[in-house]
Amino acid sequence: MHQGAVTGPAVQGPPNIAVVGLGNVLMGDDAFGPYVVAALEAHHVFPEGVDLIDAGTPGHELSAYLDGRDALIVIDAVQADGPPGSLRLFTFDEVCDRPPSLALSPHEPGLREALQKLAFSGRAPGHFLLVGAVPAQVELCTRLSEPLLQAVPAAESVVLGALAGFGIVAGEKVPPSPLAPWWERTDPSP
């Protein structure tokens, strides 16, 4: 049974937690979720059972990433009030209770539909948090705008704080890896 917020008692036994970045990396600030996941991977070491996933724009496949998780933290660009780079936090109910919208992009159905499908089948995450950032630009571009770049450390802190609420502590990677998301590289080597 899901709960509205991600905070809760420490996860008992091996965790099954996903931190999922959603967004199209070719559309500017829509890449915020994958970028935060890349930053978390570059700066921290996570214990077994915490999966960092750059899910991109998975459409119908999204529920496969979310199915049966103890906790789920999703990072995405969101349409919300506020200046570009503002972070907004949403609970499971706040995401699922929104009215349905028309499918207007090739990566829909989206997060709401995936969560509703899992809830219907009894496979919804036990705890959920959406970390959303208000975008400045969503257009053909492979770079985040300056306001979204500045929001990345705050989003990392929110994710780490949510994990700490479960007794999950990420280690600091020393030295940190260079933050070079694959979609921003000009060098074709891996």
Side-chain angles (χ1 to χ4, degrees), residues 17-23 31-38 40 50-58 61-67 69 71-77 111 115 125 128-132 159 163:
I17 297 173
V19 178
V20 179
L22 295 178
F32 185 73
Y35 197 97
V36 172
V37 167
L40 288 164
V50 177
D51 299 324
L52 299 180
I53 301 169
D54 168 1
T57 54
E61 297 172 6
L62 178 58
S63 51
Y65 294 113
L66 318 180
D67 189 5
R69 299 287 184 163
L72 174 64
I73 302 169
V74 175
I75 308 118
D76 198 0
L111 179 61
L115 292 173
F128 174 84
L129 178 67
L130 169 61
V131 182
V159 171
L163 291 172

Side-chain angles (χ1 to χ4, degrees), residues 99-106 108-110 112-113:
S101 60
L102 293 173
L104 298 175
S105 77
E108 294 189 33
R112 183 176 56 83
E113 291 79 9

Side-chain angles (χ1 to χ4, degrees), residues 75-164:
I75 308 118
D76 198 0
V78 297
Q79 292 181 351
D81 292 332
S86 300
L87 295 183
R88 299 286 184 260
L89 306 181
F90 298 91
T91 65
F92 184 98
D93 291 338
E94 289 171 326
V95 171
C96 288
D97 290 347
R98 301 183 86 177
S101 60
L102 293 173
L104 298 175
S105 77
H107 58 85
E108 294 189 33
L111 179 61
R112 183 176 56 83
E113 291 79 9
L115 292 173
Q116 289 175 332
K117 177 180 170 184
L118 292 172
F120 185 73
S121 64
R123 305 280 302 165
H127 303 278
F128 174 84
L129 178 67
L130 169 61
V131 182
V134 177
Q137 60 184 25
V138 178
E139 58 191 23
L140 190 58
C141 170
T142 57
R143 302 272 179 194
L144 292 181
S145 67
E146 191 58 33
L148 272 283
L149 279 174
Q150 292 178 9
V152 169
E156 286 184 84
S157 293
V158 170
V159 171
L160 297 173
L163 291 172

